[in-house]
Amino acid sequence: MIRSLTFFLVFLCTPVISFAQNRVDPLIEALRLEEIITVMRQEGLSYGDELADDMFPGRGTGPDWQATVSGIYETERMMTTIATTLEVEMEGVEIEPLVTFFQSDLGKKIIGLELSAREAFLDESVEEAANDRFRMLEQDGDARLDLIKEFSRTNDLIDSNVVGAMNSNYAFFIGLIDAGGFPNQLTEEQILTDVWEQEPEIRENTTEWLYSYQLLAYQPLTDDELQAYVEFSTSEEAQAMNRALFVGFDMMFTNISRALGTSVGIYMGGQEL
């Protein structure tokens, strides 16, 4: 679940989803959020198979389990959460400067590259190659990587994603306990302790995935184009959008994780999903 909340990094053609018209619709369109959500669904379906292998090995990922996971990662529900949160969290924030940037030639190029890289990462071999490149550049003290790190610091990408992943893990445990997935009931304190013990590993994995992804996505950009993106992201409007997106994705993945935990608990108990 580490990949869930990366701002500017959340990116397949998707069916048109109808929502009530609201003020942030032009921004949602400019960011291609519906396409991002569709990629996240694909990631989620794959994660569901991995989860089954970890939690109940040998029992397989039959049609009941796959249908349950598919229902949890339902694109319209996911998109509704993001759209509704953006509308609430960005009240009073000027949308026009954001739409103008992301509809500019550079903005469209950036979003397209981010989406393409996210789709490419669905192939594990591509992700592994990107991880290898990141480790090599990290050892070499690469200047391009330094610029990407500046972008990540400006948008608080690592800390926000770590917090989001930990919230998701906590929600998963709660769902698992609610469904009777543990023979001995855990206390909230025990769950929190377990989640916090995962923090160093989550941070390490998040950092590697984030920089590997950005190095791949932004490779076609010139240094000047990437610097312009960094400077844009420091604006008041971009920072507000960044925070709003994290709130929305955090809420979305917390709900997903709790539903997954509940479903795993039911399945482990031999009940009908």
Side-chain angles (χ1 to χ4, degrees):
M1 302 302 292
I2 290 169
R3 306 174 187 177
S4 57
L5 303 173
T6 306
F7 170 57
F8 290 134
L9 310 183
V10 270
F11 303 111
L12 247 165
C13 290
T14 179
V16 175
I17 303 173
S18 298
F19 303 98
Q21 288 295 112
N22 60 50
R23 193 174 64 92
V24 298
D25 283 351
L27 180 60
I28 289 172
E29 182 177 356
L31 293 174
R32 299 172 69 176
L33 286 179
E34 292 184 13
E35 296 172 74
I36 294 168
I37 291 296
T38 304
V39 176
M40 286 184 165
R41 169 177 164 80
Q42 290 188 323
E43 293 172 346
L45 296 179
S46 177
Y47 175 70
D49 290 341
E50 296 175 10
L51 189 60
D53 290 338
D54 289 341
M55 301 301 293
F56 27 88
R59 294 177 61 181
T61 56
D64 287 347
W65 173 253
Q66 291 175 339
T68 297
V69 174
S70 179
I72 291 171
Y73 285 95
E74 199 276 320
T75 52
E76 185 168 354
R77 184 187 308 113
M78 294 165 70
M79 191 64 224
T80 298
T81 300
I82 300 301
T84 302
T85 304
L86 277 178
E87 179 71 10
V88 173
E89 294 293 324
M90 297 195 68
E91 183 178 0
V93 178
E94 290 293 329
I95 301 297
E96 288 74 15
L98 300 169
V99 175
T100 297
F101 177 83
F102 287 111
Q103 287 186 340
S104 69
D105 290 342
L106 177 58
K108 290 179 179 178
K109 181 179 181 180
I110 288 169
I111 294 297
L113 290 172
E114 291 171 345
L115 176 55
S116 295
R118 190 75 182 230
E119 291 173 328
F121 261 41
L122 293 170
D123 184 336
E124 290 185 5
S125 65
V126 172
E127 183 173 349
E128 289 172 1
N131 290 342
D132 290 341
R133 180 167 180 256
F134 159 65
R135 297 185 195 110
M136 180 185 67
L137 295 179
E138 178 81 328
Q139 290 180 343
D140 295 342
D142 182 73
R144 178 72 164 199
L145 181 56
D146 289 340
L147 186 54
I148 284 175
K149 288 182 177 181
E150 180 184 351
F151 174 80
S152 297
R153 287 192 298 270
T154 298
N155 292 288
D156 196 27
L157 297 184
I158 292 177
D159 284 345
S160 294
N161 276 279
V162 169
V163 170
M166 292 174 68
N167 287 341
S168 292
N169 288 354
Y170 177 79
F172 179 85
F173 274 118
I174 294 297
L176 190 60
I177 290 171
D178 288 346
F182 287 118
N184 299 315
Q185 192 78 355
L186 295 178
T187 66
E188 181 177 352
E189 183 178 356
Q190 288 172 319
I191 296 172
L192 288 172
T193 298
D194 186 83
V195 169
W196 271 106
E197 287 176 350
Q198 299 173 30
E199 195 273 349
E201 181 181 1
I202 290 174
R203 182 172 296 276
E204 180 180 355
N205 291 340
T206 297
T207 300
E208 179 176 84
W209 187 91
L210 178 65
Y211 291 147
S212 299
Y213 168 84
Q214 290 176 307
L215 284 166
L216 177 64
Y218 303 144
Q219 187 172 359
L221 296 178
T222 66
D223 287 346
D224 287 343
E225 287 174 327
L226 185 53
Q227 185 63 53
Y229 195 19
V230 174
E231 292 174 0
F232 165 75
S233 68
T234 65
S235 69
E236 181 178 346
E237 294 85 0
Q239 289 289 302
M241 178 182 66
N242 182 24
R243 291 190 296 270
L245 284 170
F246 270 117
V247 170
F249 281 111
D250 190 22
M251 183 182 302
M252 184 187 79
F253 276 102
T254 296
N255 292 338
I256 285 172
S257 294
R258 183 156 187 165
L260 284 172
T262 300
S263 298
V264 167
I266 292 173
Y267 196 87
M268 291 173 66
Q271 304 173 52
E272 292 294 327
L273 283 168

